[in-house]
PDB file of all heavy atoms in Angstrom:
ATOM      1  N   ARG A  47      10.432 -13.292  14.809  1.00  0.00           N
ATOM      2  CA  ARG A  47      11.375 -12.604  13.931  1.00  0.00           C
ATOM      3  C   ARG A  47      12.760 -13.226  14.045  1.00  0.00           C
ATOM      4  O   ARG A  47      13.417 -13.487  13.036  1.00  0.00           O
ATOM      5  CB  ARG A  47      11.408 -11.124  14.314  1.00  0.00           C
ATOM      6  CG  ARG A  47      12.208 -10.288  13.343  1.00  0.00           C
ATOM      7  CD  ARG A  47      13.131  -9.361  14.049  1.00  0.00           C
ATOM      8  NE  ARG A  47      13.744  -8.453  13.118  1.00  0.00           N
ATOM      9  CZ  ARG A  47      13.620  -7.144  13.168  1.00  0.00           C
ATOM     10  NH1 ARG A  47      12.902  -6.580  14.120  1.00  0.00           N
ATOM     11  NH2 ARG A  47      14.249  -6.404  12.298  1.00  0.00           N
ATOM     12  N   LYS A  48      13.170 -13.468  15.301  1.00  0.00           N
ATOM     13  CA  LYS A  48      14.496 -14.086  15.517  1.00  0.00           C
ATOM     14  C   LYS A  48      14.565 -15.456  14.862  1.00  0.00           C
ATOM     15  O   LYS A  48      15.604 -15.874  14.360  1.00  0.00           O
ATOM     16  CB  LYS A  48      14.752 -14.238  17.031  1.00  0.00           C
ATOM     17  CG  LYS A  48      15.315 -12.990  17.649  1.00  0.00           C
ATOM     18  CD  LYS A  48      16.085 -13.304  18.936  1.00  0.00           C
ATOM     19  CE  LYS A  48      16.446 -12.009  19.631  1.00  0.00           C
ATOM     20  NZ  LYS A  48      15.720 -11.807  20.905  1.00  0.00           N
ATOM     21  N   ALA A  49      13.423 -16.146  14.854  1.00  0.00           N
ATOM     22  CA  ALA A  49      13.386 -17.493  14.270  1.00  0.00           C
ATOM     23  C   ALA A  49      13.240 -17.437  12.741  1.00  0.00           C
ATOM     24  O   ALA A  49      13.078 -18.470  12.086  1.00  0.00           O
ATOM     25  CB  ALA A  49      12.231 -18.270  14.893  1.00  0.00           C
ATOM     26  N   GLY A  50      13.272 -16.238  12.172  1.00  0.00           N
ATOM     27  CA  GLY A  50      13.221 -16.102  10.700  1.00  0.00           C
ATOM     28  C   GLY A  50      11.833 -16.273  10.113  1.00  0.00           C
ATOM     29  O   GLY A  50      11.680 -16.554   8.930  1.00  0.00           O
ATOM     30  N   LYS A  51      10.795 -16.083  10.946  1.00  0.00           N
ATOM     31  CA  LYS A  51       9.435 -16.321  10.434  1.00  0.00           C
ATOM     32  C   LYS A  51       8.748 -15.064   9.918  1.00  0.00           C
ATOM     33  O   LYS A  51       7.665 -15.139   9.343  1.00  0.00           O
ATOM     34  CB  LYS A  51       8.583 -16.952  11.535  1.00  0.00           C
ATOM     35  CG  LYS A  51       9.017 -18.374  11.848  1.00  0.00           C
ATOM     36  CD  LYS A  51       8.074 -19.011  12.842  1.00  0.00           C
ATOM     37  CE  LYS A  51       8.547 -20.418  13.159  1.00  0.00           C
ATOM     38  NZ  LYS A  51       8.168 -20.832  14.495  1.00  0.00           N
ATOM     39  N   THR A  52       9.347 -13.923  10.175  1.00  0.00           N
ATOM     40  CA  THR A  52       8.770 -12.668   9.646  1.00  0.00           C
ATOM     41  C   THR A  52       9.902 -11.929   8.921  1.00  0.00           C
ATOM     42  O   THR A  52      10.383 -10.892   9.378  1.00  0.00           O
ATOM     43  CB  THR A  52       8.207 -11.787  10.775  1.00  0.00           C
ATOM     44  OG1 THR A  52       9.242 -11.602  11.752  1.00  0.00           O
ATOM     45  CG2 THR A  52       7.002 -12.396  11.443  1.00  0.00           C
ATOM     46  N   ARG A  53      10.263 -12.472   7.776  1.00  0.00           N
ATOM     47  CA  ARG A  53      11.462 -11.976   7.085  1.00  0.00           C
ATOM     48  C   ARG A  53      11.329 -10.529   6.609  1.00  0.00           C
ATOM     49  O   ARG A  53      12.336  -9.855   6.378  1.00  0.00           O
ATOM     50  CB  ARG A  53      11.806 -12.893   5.899  1.00  0.00           C
ATOM     51  CG  ARG A  53      12.015 -14.342   6.314  1.00  0.00           C
ATOM     52  CD  ARG A  53      13.404 -14.572   6.892  1.00  0.00           C
ATOM     53  NE  ARG A  53      14.387 -14.648   5.847  1.00  0.00           N
ATOM     54  CZ  ARG A  53      14.712 -15.748   5.195  1.00  0.00           C
ATOM     55  NH1 ARG A  53      14.109 -16.872   5.460  1.00  0.00           N
ATOM     56  NH2 ARG A  53      15.644 -15.729   4.278  1.00  0.00           N
ATOM     57  N   TYR A  54      10.113 -10.060   6.445  1.00  0.00           N
ATOM     58  CA  TYR A  54       9.964  -8.653   6.015  1.00  0.00           C
ATOM     59  C   TYR A  54      10.577  -7.702   7.040  1.00  0.00           C
ATOM     60  O   TYR A  54      10.998  -6.594   6.708  1.00  0.00           O
ATOM     61  CB  TYR A  54       8.484  -8.316   5.759  1.00  0.00           C
ATOM     62  CG  TYR A  54       7.662  -8.068   7.013  1.00  0.00           C
ATOM     63  CD1 TYR A  54       7.579  -6.798   7.574  1.00  0.00           C
ATOM     64  CD2 TYR A  54       6.966  -9.109   7.644  1.00  0.00           C
ATOM     65  CE1 TYR A  54       6.834  -6.570   8.731  1.00  0.00           C
ATOM     66  CE2 TYR A  54       6.228  -8.882   8.789  1.00  0.00           C
ATOM     67  CZ  TYR A  54       6.171  -7.616   9.333  1.00  0.00           C
ATOM     68  OH  TYR A  54       5.447  -7.391  10.481  1.00  0.00           O
ATOM     69  N   ARG A  55      10.654  -8.147   8.303  1.00  0.00           N
ATOM     70  CA  ARG A  55      11.186  -7.278   9.351  1.00  0.00           C
ATOM     71  C   ARG A  55      12.674  -6.947   9.122  1.00  0.00           C
ATOM     72  O   ARG A  55      13.191  -5.970   9.647  1.00  0.00           O
ATOM     73  CB  ARG A  55      11.018  -7.945  10.728  1.00  0.00           C
ATOM     74  CG  ARG A  55       9.575  -8.160  11.181  1.00  0.00           C
ATOM     75  CD  ARG A  55       8.861  -6.884  11.525  1.00  0.00           C
ATOM     76  NE  ARG A  55       9.478  -6.111  12.583  1.00  0.00           N
ATOM     77  CZ  ARG A  55       9.205  -6.237  13.875  1.00  0.00           C
ATOM     78  NH1 ARG A  55       8.305  -7.136  14.258  1.00  0.00           N
ATOM     79  NH2 ARG A  55       9.795  -5.482  14.776  1.00  0.00           N
ATOM     80  N   ASP A  56      13.347  -7.803   8.369  1.00  0.00           N
ATOM     81  CA  ASP A  56      14.793  -7.598   8.176  1.00  0.00           C
ATOM     82  C   ASP A  56      15.131  -6.819   6.899  1.00  0.00           C
ATOM     83  O   ASP A  56      16.301  -6.544   6.626  1.00  0.00           O
ATOM     84  CB  ASP A  56      15.508  -8.957   8.173  1.00  0.00           C
ATOM     85  CG  ASP A  56      15.260  -9.690   9.484  1.00  0.00           C
ATOM     86  OD1 ASP A  56      15.196  -9.011  10.535  1.00  0.00           O
ATOM     87  OD2 ASP A  56      15.073 -10.924   9.466  1.00  0.00           O
ATOM     88  N   LEU A  57      14.117  -6.457   6.137  1.00  0.00           N
ATOM     89  CA  LEU A  57      14.387  -5.792   4.859  1.00  0.00           C
ATOM     90  C   LEU A  57      15.174  -4.476   4.982  1.00  0.00           C
ATOM     91  O   LEU A  57      15.962  -4.154   4.095  1.00  0.00           O
ATOM     92  CB  LEU A  57      13.081  -5.563   4.075  1.00  0.00           C
ATOM     93  CG  LEU A  57      12.383  -6.839   3.585  1.00  0.00           C
ATOM     94  CD1 LEU A  57      11.063  -6.499   2.905  1.00  0.00           C
ATOM     95  CD2 LEU A  57      13.270  -7.637   2.622  1.00  0.00           C
ATOM     96  N   PRO A  58      14.994  -3.704   6.063  1.00  0.00           N
ATOM     97  CA  PRO A  58      15.768  -2.442   6.124  1.00  0.00           C
ATOM     98  C   PRO A  58      17.278  -2.655   6.197  1.00  0.00           C
ATOM     99  O   PRO A  58      18.028  -1.696   6.036  1.00  0.00           O
ATOM    100  CB  PRO A  58      15.267  -1.784   7.425  1.00  0.00           C
ATOM    101  CG  PRO A  58      13.941  -2.390   7.686  1.00  0.00           C
ATOM    102  CD  PRO A  58      14.005  -3.793   7.149  1.00  0.00           C
ATOM    103  N   TYR A  59      17.715  -3.868   6.432  1.00  0.00           N
ATOM    104  CA  TYR A  59      19.153  -4.097   6.682  1.00  0.00           C
ATOM    105  C   TYR A  59      19.843  -4.894   5.568  1.00  0.00           C
ATOM    106  O   TYR A  59      20.939  -5.394   5.766  1.00  0.00           O
ATOM    107  CB  TYR A  59      19.318  -4.818   8.027  1.00  0.00           C
ATOM    108  CG  TYR A  59      18.489  -4.160   9.114  1.00  0.00           C
ATOM    109  CD1 TYR A  59      17.276  -4.708   9.512  1.00  0.00           C
ATOM    110  CD2 TYR A  59      18.892  -2.948   9.684  1.00  0.00           C
ATOM    111  CE1 TYR A  59      16.491  -4.089  10.475  1.00  0.00           C
ATOM    112  CE2 TYR A  59      18.109  -2.320  10.646  1.00  0.00           C
ATOM    113  CZ  TYR A  59      16.908  -2.888  11.034  1.00  0.00           C
ATOM    114  OH  TYR A  59      16.133  -2.268  11.971  1.00  0.00           O
ATOM    115  N   GLN A  60      19.209  -5.009   4.399  1.00  0.00           N
ATOM    116  CA  GLN A  60      19.758  -5.871   3.330  1.00  0.00           C
ATOM    117  C   GLN A  60      20.736  -5.066   2.467  1.00  0.00           C
ATOM    118  O   GLN A  60      20.381  -4.638   1.373  1.00  0.00           O
ATOM    119  CB  GLN A  60      18.623  -6.394   2.452  1.00  0.00           C
ATOM    120  CG  GLN A  60      17.461  -7.008   3.189  1.00  0.00           C
ATOM    121  CD  GLN A  60      17.783  -8.377   3.744  1.00  0.00           C
ATOM    122  OE1 GLN A  60      18.182  -9.267   2.998  1.00  0.00           O
ATOM    123  NE2 GLN A  60      17.656  -8.550   5.037  1.00  0.00           N
TER     124      GLN A  60
END
Side-chain angles (χ1 to χ4, degrees):
R47 188 226 188 120
K48 275 204 189 112
K51 291 185 181 151
T52 53
R53 303 280 283 273
Y54 78 88
R55 295 290 301 270
D56 301 324
L57 293 176
Y59 313 101
Q60 310 286 304

